């Protein structure tokens, strides 16, 4: 018995893209995110956040800031009765900073390490899963593991969609205005099966 999941990028997707969130006070959850995650929670799918936080390797902030930010995220989602089933992050960078954060890891998206870790921990079948993000690299990551990829137009999404689309090797499975639209599309697809 395996689970399906919706993997969700953090900055630009569930919360505002403000550059490096080097202090919890900079972190802004989008107003629609609680409703979106709640919809996942009442479906059979798991909700899993996956985020690159190379600001740690770059020395812009300590790893504990990530924990503070994720506490704030969980609290705000909780206000809507919503919860993430798991959160995974990559604090590494291949060339900047000091070890252990400076390393050629397998978890910095679009590498698939975070998804594989989640798949092991939560018995997720990646081929029946989805990844939502505001970068085409998130869509590519989805396709590289056999999942479906949804681009949202929040964060970097609109710019990538308007100016980079001609370089895409494979279209996203869906392009949504925002996380809520993406989740509604996915749950509609799931209802077809
Ligand atoms: Mg992003
Ligand atoms: Zn990593």
């Amino acid at each position: 018995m395996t689970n399906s999941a919706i993997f969700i990028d953090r900055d630009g997707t569930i919360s505002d893209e403000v550059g490096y969130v080097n202090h919890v006070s900079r972190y802004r959850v989008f107003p629609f995110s609680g409703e979106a995650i709640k919809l996942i929670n009442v479906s059979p799918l798991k909700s899993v956040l996956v985020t690159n936080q190379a600001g740690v390797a770059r020395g812009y902030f300590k790893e504990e800031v990530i924990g503070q930010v994720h506490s704030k995220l969980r609290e705000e989602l909780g206000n809507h009765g919503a919860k993430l089933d798991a959160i995974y992050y990559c604090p590494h960078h291949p060339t900047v900073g000091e070890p252990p954060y400076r390393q050629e890891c397998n978890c910095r998206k679009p590498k698939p390490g975070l998804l594989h870790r989640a798949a092991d921990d939560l018995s997720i079948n990646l081929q029946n899963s989805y990844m939502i993000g505001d970068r085409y690299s998130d869509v590519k990551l989805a396709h590289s593991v056999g999942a479906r990829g949804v681009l949202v137009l929040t964060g970097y999404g609109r710019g990538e969609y308007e100016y980079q689309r001609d370089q895409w090797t494979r279209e996203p499975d869906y392009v949504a205005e925002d996380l809520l639209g993406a989740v509604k599309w996915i749950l509609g697809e799931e209802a077809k099966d």
Side-chain angles (χ1 to χ4, degrees):
M1 168 70 197
T2 56
N3 298 300
S4 300
I6 302 180
F7 293 97
I8 302 158
D9 169 57
R10 196 187 88 182
D11 301 331
T13 302
I14 201 168
S15 53
D16 219 347
E17 171 58 69
V18 296
Y20 292 98
V21 181
N22 66 344
H23 192 278
V24 65
S25 62
R26 276 168 63 75
Y27 191 64
R28 299 272 180 273
V29 180
F30 284 135
F32 45 77
S33 293
E35 184 184 352
I37 303 304
K38 177 81 186 177
L39 284 176
I40 303 173
N41 294 155
V42 299
S43 85
L45 286 84
K46 302 283 186 194
S47 59
V48 181
L49 193 85
V50 285
T51 177
N52 286 350
Q53 293 299 324
V56 176
R58 292 176 180 279
Y60 296 164
F61 51 90
K62 296 243 183 272
E63 195 166 354
E64 58 245 37
V65 171
I66 298 178
Q68 293 164 8
V69 167
H70 292 166
S71 296
K72 181 172 176 179
L73 172 59
R74 287 188 183 282
E75 187 186 316
E76 295 204 10
L77 294 176
N79 292 339
H80 297 262
K83 75 165 190 17
L84 292 163
D85 290 296
I87 295 178
Y88 296 91
Y89 64 86
C90 166
H92 308 118
H93 192 281
T95 57
V96 179
E98 300 298 328
Y101 294 120
R102 187 189 74 215
Q103 62 157 283
E104 194 65 61
C105 68
N106 66 3
C107 54
R108 179 173 162 81
K109 297 184 297 175
K111 290 191 175 169
L114 298 180
L115 272 53
H116 285 147
R117 209 180 296 165
D120 286 349
D121 291 347
L122 302 174
S123 298
I124 292 166
N125 179 346
L126 295 177
Q127 280 153 35
N128 292 333
S129 294
Y130 302 81
M131 168 87 214
I132 304 171
D134 68 317
R135 308 295 294 260
Y136 182 68
S137 57
D138 288 317
V139 172
K140 256 173 103 165
L141 167 60
H143 291 161
S144 76
V145 298
R148 280 180 271 182
V150 179
L151 183 81
V152 287
L153 296 178
T154 49
Y156 287 107
R158 191 171 301 278
E160 295 226 344
Y161 184 72
E162 289 190 8
Y163 305 128
Q164 314 273 315
R165 198 173 14 164
D166 52 340
Q167 294 156 44
W168 293 351
T169 46
R170 179 174 158 193
E171 291 283 312
D173 295 274
Y174 187 66
V175 178
E177 270 306 308
D178 56 30
L179 179 64
L180 183 57
V183 168
K184 285 180 174 170
W185 177 79
I186 290 169
L187 297 178
E189 289 295 293
E190 288 292 296
K192 289 180 189 165
D193 300 340

